[in-house]
Amino acid sequence: MRHLEVERKYDVEPDFILPDLSSATGAASVDEPVEHELDATYYDTDDLHLSRHRVTLRRRTGGHDAGWHLKRPAGAGGDAEHHGARTELRAPLDEGEGGEAARPPRAFAEELRALTRGHPLRPVAGIRTRRLERVLRSGSGEALAEVSDDHVTAHTYGAEVTAREWREVEVELVEGSADLLDAAERLLLDAGARPAAFGSKLARTLDLRRPSAHGAPRSGSGSGSDEERAWSAVATYIADQRDAIVTLDPDVRRGDPEAVHKMRVACRRLRSTLRTFRPFLDRARTDPLGVELRWLAGELGLLRDSQVQAERLRTAVEAEPTELVIGPVDRRISDHFATEEAQARERVATALDSPRYFALLDALEALVDATAGQEAGAAELRKRARKALRRVDRRLDRAAALSAHPEATPSVTPPLPGVVRDRSTALHEARKAAKRARYAAEALSAVGGKDARRLVKELKRMQKVLGAHQDSIVARQTLREAGVRAHLDHENAFTYGLLHAREQAAAERVLEDLPAVERSIRRRKTRRWLG
């Protein structure tokens, strides 16, 4: 069972007096406290890989939610995370494996493969908590939040055993809002509580302070000089993509289309960032890593492209009047993509279980550690982003020239029948350049501010236009191949030709939006922050 946990934690002194929280926004009353004795064993690898990624795995007895709990940060891939939110996966105590259910459930082990990478999980800490739990309720009696006053005794396992005792307060939302959390926080801080120095009880036990001890420092909203924040922003961007790959791994293994897409984008962002800012990086490390990221993105791309094209063509067939769909068109297209997607899923599954993938993740960890300690001037970083943007200009100019004089220019790649590949290839290259420039602007958005975000927005618009054009090219190739097979099987291929023509017309229509987007990107105010 999955559960989204939204909570805030506070450090308090042993003699702290919990204030009356019934005056918090939306609250009307607080239940009398209920005492629980909780006994938890936490599991991790020998190098604490889970904990360093803010992931906790425990087996806990006592309380109303006894069982196995796997918690990881909510959000990934650059999306804004819920403040203080974690996704929690729960399982009953008896779903563990081994004698007395002492080993984590198999489903949990699968969720953690990107973190464990073949290394065994073992007990790393034991934590006992005497909890006084109070429920914060609305005027109608609805439970809004649970307030836990915890007295904690913890110890580590292993060659060096350490023991700690402390008291903390947690406020976890049930049906309440962020406004309730804010109001409760003000009351707690006024009473002498402090925002917790650690993200979890396990982190305190292991002395893993915020931010995570493994990874780049988070770029601040305004602290430090422009020079300091510029490279910190790039290092954070690299760390964010590493985090996205690791976090998305379980959903990709389940074949979730959105997770496949986001992991592929994270690979592309990383590879592009390493190329854009390579003068400031160790190429002996980053060049081989770029090759591996391209490999992983390619494996994911086979699955993602199949999913996108399948949906696109099914929708196209459904949109046609019945009298224009001649023969088993829908079945043939569905069968084609069912086979293709099954093969692509198998390739992704094989890739994610391979030593090559685990070695890639190890290399990303090392890269994040290395970039966290590097330095680079803001002016030089902007120069690299400006160079990436100028590449977009050149490729757009080339596409325009090919559009004006297609017959005077030799083919860049082997042409597809009925498609002007010279211009299409040039537009595809412009799209790739736009992605690279966009990712550079994203990496520097902490120092580029509103102007950088405007550029990212416009480059994203260009990607959308050129992406729709490229998707049409791929769809036409698929339709042509399907039509040929239908013809060879003595079926009427009329509908495939019709859909092909509609795709070609759609590709031309979508390019009508390109000039406006291009003008916006070329405007001085869009790129003035680059110098």
Side-chain angles (χ1 to χ4, degrees):
M1 179 178 65
R2 293 182 184 273
H3 168 70
L4 183 64
E5 175 189 81
V6 182
E7 68 176 15
R8 294 185 190 176
K9 301 170 70 70
Y10 304 91
D11 295 336
V12 298
E13 297 298 327
D15 59 352
F16 176 76
I17 298 175
L18 189 71
D20 179 8
L21 299 181
S22 62
S23 61
T25 303
S29 64
V30 181
D31 289 359
E32 289 299 312
V34 177
E35 184 171 339
H36 301 285
E37 293 290 340
L38 311 176
D39 193 350
T41 300
Y42 286 78
Y43 293 77
D44 208 330
T45 60
D46 286 338
D47 59 0
L48 304 179
H49 226 136
L50 275 62
S51 301
R52 295 181 188 280
H53 282 268
R54 296 179 294 154
V55 174
T56 58
L57 171 62
R58 74 184 178 206
R59 180 182 186 273
R60 190 171 75 182
T61 59
H64 54 76
D65 61 348
W68 288 93
H69 304 154
L70 173 60
K71 299 184 181 183
R72 60 196 319 156
D79 296 332
E81 295 185 3
H82 295 82
H83 180 69
R86 292 190 292 177
T87 300
E88 182 176 354
L89 183 63
R90 298 175 180 174
L93 289 170
D94 58 8
E95 284 194 13
E97 298 185 342
E100 298 183 359
R103 287 187 296 167
R106 186 181 301 274
F108 283 20
E110 287 298 311
E111 287 273 328
L112 295 169
R113 285 184 63 77
L115 289 173
T116 57
R117 301 169 202 170
H119 298 292
L121 292 165
R122 66 170 182 84
V124 295
I127 299 178
R128 291 188 175 183
T129 303
R130 183 173 68 84
R131 169 168 292 177
L132 294 177
E133 185 176 271
R134 298 169 171 86
V135 178
L136 198 56
R137 298 187 183 276
S138 66
S140 63
E142 179 184 30
L144 300 177
E146 293 178 352
V147 181
S148 300
D149 184 357
D150 292 345
H151 297 255
V152 186
T153 303
H155 66 275
T156 60
Y157 292 113
E160 296 184 9
V161 177
T162 60
R164 299 174 186 269
E165 292 186 18
W166 71 91
R167 184 182 173 194
E168 66 180 35
V169 173
E170 298 178 359
V171 182
E172 180 179 348
L173 287 183
V174 179
E175 296 293 341
S177 66
D179 289 341
L180 174 66
L181 284 179
D182 292 340
E185 180 167 283
R186 288 191 291 270
L187 292 170
L188 288 167
L189 296 181
D190 288 345
R194 305 175 303 279
F198 296 86
S200 67
K201 291 180 174 64
L202 178 62
R204 184 184 293 273
T205 304
L206 300 176
D207 198 23
L208 297 176
R209 289 184 177 271
R210 288 174 167 170
S212 169
H214 197 83
R218 316 313 289 176
S219 56
S221 58
S223 60
S225 68
D226 191 46
E227 296 288 321
E228 292 171 338
R229 288 189 295 118
W231 183 254
S232 177
V234 174
T236 296
Y237 190 73
I238 291 172
D240 285 344
Q241 309 320 311
R242 181 278 314 269
D243 291 345
I245 292 173
V246 171
T247 302
L248 291 164
D249 178 280
D251 287 335
V252 172
R253 291 177 185 274
R254 287 189 284 270
D256 178 80
E258 191 63 19
V260 172
H261 168 63
K262 288 183 176 181
M263 183 185 280
R264 183 190 190 188
V265 170
C267 291
R268 286 175 166 176
R269 280 177 165 141
L270 269 171
R271 184 165 173 258
S272 177
T273 302
L274 299 186
R275 293 173 66 189
T276 298
F277 301 110
R278 66 180 147 204
F280 313 105
L281 298 165
D282 179 5
R283 293 191 62 177
R285 181 196 305 276
T286 59
D287 285 359
L289 186 52
V291 172
E292 296 306 287
L293 288 167
R294 182 177 184 179
W295 159 74
L296 179 57
E299 296 298 305
L300 295 166
L302 293 173
L303 178 54
R304 174 63 179 172
D305 291 344
S306 179
Q307 292 169 335
V308 169
Q309 285 296 317
E311 181 61 25
R312 182 187 185 97
L313 294 183
R314 288 192 198 104
T315 301
V317 173
E318 291 172 0
E320 291 296 331
T322 304
E323 64 269 20
L324 296 183
V325 181
I326 302 174
V329 179
D330 187 61
R331 178 181 59 78
R332 183 176 286 277
I333 289 175
S334 295
D335 289 349
H336 167 80
F337 283 110
T339 300
E340 186 176 274
E341 186 172 337
Q343 292 171 345
R345 283 180 185 274
E346 182 62 30
R347 286 190 60 152
V348 169
T350 300
L352 296 189
D353 280 335
S354 69
R356 184 176 183 179
Y357 174 61
F358 294 151
L360 166 59
L361 296 179
D362 288 341
L364 287 176
E365 305 288 2
L367 172 69
V368 169
D369 284 344
T371 55
Q374 291 184 215
E375 296 180 357
E380 288 301 309
L381 294 172
R382 286 192 177 98
K383 181 179 178 180
R384 295 296 299 178
R386 187 167 64 246
K387 182 177 180 181
L389 190 55
R390 286 174 176 167
R391 183 181 292 108
V392 180
D393 295 339
R394 291 195 301 272
R395 294 189 177 180
L396 287 171
D397 290 341
R398 174 163 174 76
L402 291 171
S403 179
H405 305 287
E407 72 285 350
T409 309
S411 296
V412 179
T413 59
L416 292 175
V419 181
V420 182
R421 278 298 302 221
D422 295 333
R423 182 185 65 162
S424 298
T425 301
L427 289 171
H428 185 48
E429 291 301 310
R431 179 193 178 205
K432 292 192 291 186
K435 285 183 182 180
R436 186 167 171 182
R438 171 192 165 191
Y439 298 152
E442 285 178 350
L444 293 175
S445 60
V447 291
K450 182 174 65 176
D451 289 338
R453 291 191 292 273
R454 181 186 297 114
L455 178 58
V456 169
K457 180 180 178 180
E458 295 304 325
L459 287 168
K460 191 173 182 178
R461 283 179 62 203
M462 176 171 286
Q463 279 183 245
K464 184 176 181 180
V465 169
L466 297 179
H469 183 266
Q470 179 65 19
D471 286 347
S472 174
I473 292 174
V474 176
R476 277 178 271 165
Q477 175 69 356
T478 301
L479 287 166
R480 181 183 182 278
E481 293 173 354
V484 168
R485 287 195 298 271
H487 174 73
L488 294 176
D489 289 342
H490 307 290
E491 296 173 8
N492 192 316
F494 166 81
T495 304
Y496 303 101
L498 174 64
L499 294 174
H500 188 287
R502 295 202 193 285
E503 283 286 355
Q504 187 160 357
E508 294 305 317
R509 283 197 305 273
V510 77
L511 289 182
E512 293 174 2
D513 296 331
L514 183 58
V517 178
E518 185 176 347
R519 285 193 299 272
S520 179
I521 289 174
R522 290 182 189 265
R523 280 203 297 262
R524 179 173 178 80
K525 72 175 184 178
T526 305
R527 53 180 75 190
R528 63 190 174 192
W529 67 281
L530 293 172

